[in-house]
Amino acid sequence: MSTLDKTIAKIHANYGHDFACDNPEILRAQKSADGTVKFLFGLHDQNRVESVIMPYARRHTVCLSTQAGCAMGCAFCKTGSMGLARSLSWHEIAGQYLSCWRYLMEANPDRTVASPNIVFMGQGEPLHNFDAVKTACGVLLSEKGVCLGPRQITLSTVGYTPGLERISELPPVNFALSLHSAIPEKRAVLIPLEKTSGLDRIIPLLAGIRLKRNQFINFEYLLIGDFNDGEDDAAALAALTRRFSSIVNIIPFNEIAGMRWKRPGEERVAAFKAMLVARKVRTMVRNSRGRDISAACGQLAGE
Ligand code: SF4
């Protein structure tokens, strides 16, 4: 019996029989030139979600969806243009993970595939489905479930404050805020939630998160050409993030047909990074995987 089969048997025994690894069911798997694989999952009620496996040197990472569609309506995101169909149950969230892991094992029959890391960055706002995400994290981390380490999971949010107020209920997983601009008026153009639940409320809640040693808050910054890539943007970003033990992840925008936002050139990305580094901000540039199969940040639409 493989580690995965033992894990699934454990989950059945400890969490009940409504859990099934094949719920949701893989309808389609698309492979990118860079090794990224995007899955389309069918749910029991005909809703669909997508998950993505990204290969990295040491371990794979899977990007999981927490909702079918999303209510947040971010202006740069294809999922956001769909609206929210419904939130997923904890077993639909954990089921995506186990199905992805099984796919990897079957694709690599000659070697052991270690349990992949997880980022909650697929469709949906994880904190808008707080209870199911909390239960899924519990099952994924528990010895009675998948037995992952807390640092194997990263939860990413646009700053949904009713969820942020409950963040201490979650296990000590890694945390990422989709910031995209530290200037509230500009952020509100990208993230409508900023108008009602903005940085003035988010930042004090972030400050209350207890970080472990060597743990950081990740600030995700989608860099959009001629929108948020100027000197004033870098200055505001540095002033905000320097207050935290943090890393800024710059993600050059992946253009989406029908959207007005454009991808910055490589020199612009390098120049923006240099502006942050000059202000002593720990900065990484993350190039999205799977752009050729629409699996990159903001491109998931369950089509
Ligand atoms: S970026 Fe995230 S929170 Fe915003 S609309 Fe897309 S899926 Fe929802």
Side-chain angles (χ1 to χ4, degrees), residues 73-115:
C74 299
F76 54 85
C77 172
K78 223 169 164 185
T79 311
S81 66
M82 297 161 56
L84 176 67
R86 70 167 171 88
S87 290
L88 302 192
S89 64
W90 75 262
H91 43 93
E92 287 170 328
I93 297 170
Q96 290 167 69
Y97 177 78
L98 295 170
S99 295
C100 289
W101 191 4
R102 183 176 296 290
Y103 175 93
L104 285 171
M105 288 180 61
E106 288 173 357
N108 299 278
D110 309 332
R111 63 183 177 95
T112 307
V113 178
S115 55

Side-chain angles (χ1 to χ4, degrees), residues 130-142:
F130 192 94
D131 291 321
V133 169
K134 178 180 161 183
T135 306
C137 285
V139 174
L140 290 161
L141 295 177
S142 169

Side-chain angles (χ1 to χ4, degrees), residues 70 72-74 76-77 79-80 122-125 158:
C70 185
M72 301 297 134
C74 299
F76 54 85
C77 172
T79 311
Q123 292 176 336
E125 160 55 53
V158 284

Side-chain angles (χ1 to χ4, degrees), residues 66-67 69-83 120-126 128 156-159 178 180 190-193 222 297-300:
T66 55
Q67 298 180 305
C70 185
M72 301 297 134
C74 299
F76 54 85
C77 172
K78 223 169 164 185
T79 311
S81 66
M82 297 161 56
F120 287 117
M121 293 185 185
Q123 292 176 336
E125 160 55 53
H128 192 221
S156 176
T157 175
V158 284
S178 296
H180 310 326
L190 297 174
I191 304 174
L193 192 67
L222 208 52
C297 281
Q299 292 186 323
L300 300 182

Side-chain angles (χ1 to χ4, degrees), residues 107-227:
N108 299 278
D110 309 332
R111 63 183 177 95
T112 307
V113 178
S115 55
N117 294 336
I118 294 174
V119 289
F120 287 117
M121 293 185 185
Q123 292 176 336
E125 160 55 53
L127 296 184
H128 192 221
N129 186 15
F130 192 94
D131 291 321
V133 169
K134 178 180 161 183
T135 306
C137 285
V139 174
L140 290 161
L141 295 177
S142 169
E143 284 179 13
K144 294 180 183 168
V146 185
C147 207
L148 301 180
R151 306 291 278 279
Q152 280 188 260
I153 299 180
T154 300
L155 184 146
S156 176
T157 175
V158 284
Y160 182 68
T161 49
L164 273 180
E165 283 161 0
R166 296 177 60 192
I167 204 81
S168 61
E169 293 177 32
L170 293 177
V173 297
N174 295 321
F175 185 82
L177 177 74
S178 296
L179 185 58
H180 310 326
S181 176
I183 301 170
E185 299 73 31
K186 256 189 193 182
R187 188 169 188 265
V189 175
L190 297 174
I191 304 174
L193 192 67
E194 173 67 27
K195 293 177 199 140
T196 50
S197 185
L199 290 174
D200 55 334
R201 291 182 62 199
I202 293 169
I203 296 306
L205 291 168
L206 282 197
I209 295 178
R210 274 198 234 131
L211 298 174
K212 300 254 184 233
R213 261 182 70 165
N214 296 326
Q215 199 177 12
F216 304 97
I217 290 184
N218 292 281
F219 288 100
E220 309 294 322
Y221 196 92
L222 208 52
L223 193 69
I224 300 175
D226 297 331
F227 180 74

